[in-house]
Amino acid sequence: MTEKSFSNSDDIFFRIRENYKRISENIDGAMDKAGRKDRVRLMAVTKTVPFENVNYAVSLGIDLLGENRVQEFLGKYEFYDSKSQIHFIGGLQSNKVKYIIDKVSMIHSVDSVKLADEINKRAALCGKITDILIEVNVGGEKSKGGVAPDQIDEFSCYCKELSNIRLRGFMAIPPIDINGSNNKYFEQMERIYNDCRSKSGKNIDTLSMGMSNDYQQALRYGSNIVRIGSALFGRRK
Ligand SMILES: *Cc1c(COP(=O)(O)O)cnc(C)c1O
């Protein structure tokens, strides 16, 4: 065998540790460059990642996990070290809300009245208030979930009336960047977030945007949760 094998978990852990170090430095650098002193959270996105690797990332100090797929999440959940918070970030059918409502502290992907109603109902049954973000389809892409920008005011007013959900802000997956051509989408999200903050005050404190390929860009536009999968855990199979 001449090729180095990475099936050994020590090698994988080593790479996760190096990746984490690099990402943390990049985040600090981007925050400095943007002149920001507020707090940003690094979320580890766990889709397709074995629970051992997730737990290793948590042992390094990552305190926030992002889950996309209900089935996969339920299969791994009981093996997670319970030191980190868990947010649900993937497309969510309302009939699946009941399986995750007691396991996650925030849902980033709320984009319909039906889903908001169901989260509100299930949260009430658990005796809790669930934090939510409205997902915004900022690029107007057919392939993506999210509320159209011109519907946000109406939808956020609706959400604020529901007593067992608490609107904390917005999540977006801006279109892929081609030479900085998507800066305008990040800018638009920052404007939407700041508008909502100035109108409705203290609960609005979360702007979730930026993934492996664009988190440093997102930090220039006020993002305070970056959701990182492949740059941390390696490319998904
Ligand atoms: C997969 C995923 C991420 C992370 O993507 P990477 O490019 O691997 O960092 C972030 N947010 C959502 C909603 C995702 O589905």
Side-chain angles (χ1 to χ4, degrees), residues 166-211:
R166 185 188 296 117
L167 178 62
R168 296 284 298 273
F170 302 94
M171 184 270 258
I173 308 173
I176 291 171
D177 190 40
I178 300 158
N179 300 323
S181 63
N182 68 348
N183 277 332
K184 62 173 182 285
Y185 298 114
F186 286 95
E187 223 172 78
Q188 189 179 356
M189 285 310 305
E190 184 176 37
R191 208 161 45 232
I192 288 167
Y193 171 64
N194 285 335
D195 272 3
C196 186
R197 248 160 94 80
S198 58
K199 271 188 236 154
S200 51
K202 66 180 184 344
N203 286 337
I204 307 293
D205 61 4
T206 306
L207 179 57
S208 164
M209 62 182 187
M211 319 203 311

Side-chain angles (χ1 to χ4, degrees), residues 2 15 31 49 77 169 189 197 209 232:
T2 52
R15 287 194 297 168
M31 290 293 281
V49 179
Y77 176 70
M189 285 310 305
R197 248 160 94 80
M209 62 182 187
L232 179 66

Side-chain angles (χ1 to χ4, degrees), residues 89-130:
I89 61 172
L92 182 58
Q93 291 170 290
S94 20
N95 62 357
K96 302 267 174 70
V97 171
K98 57 179 176 288
Y99 302 118
I100 64 161
I101 192 74
D102 58 336
K103 301 179 180 63
V104 303
S105 57
M106 193 186 286
I107 299 175
H108 290 215
S109 44
V110 181
D111 64 355
S112 72
V113 165
K114 189 177 173 199
L115 183 56
D117 282 345
E118 179 67 12
I119 295 168
N120 184 56
K121 174 180 140 192
R122 295 289 166 181
L125 289 171
C126 291
K128 68 183 268 192
I129 294 174
T130 296

Side-chain angles (χ1 to χ4, degrees), residues 45 47 68 89-90 171 173 210-213 227-231 236:
V45 175
K47 59 181 183 252
N68 280 77
I89 61 172
M171 184 270 258
I173 308 173
M211 319 203 311
S212 291
N213 289 323
R227 309 180 309 266
I228 314 271
S230 47
R236 286 182 290 277

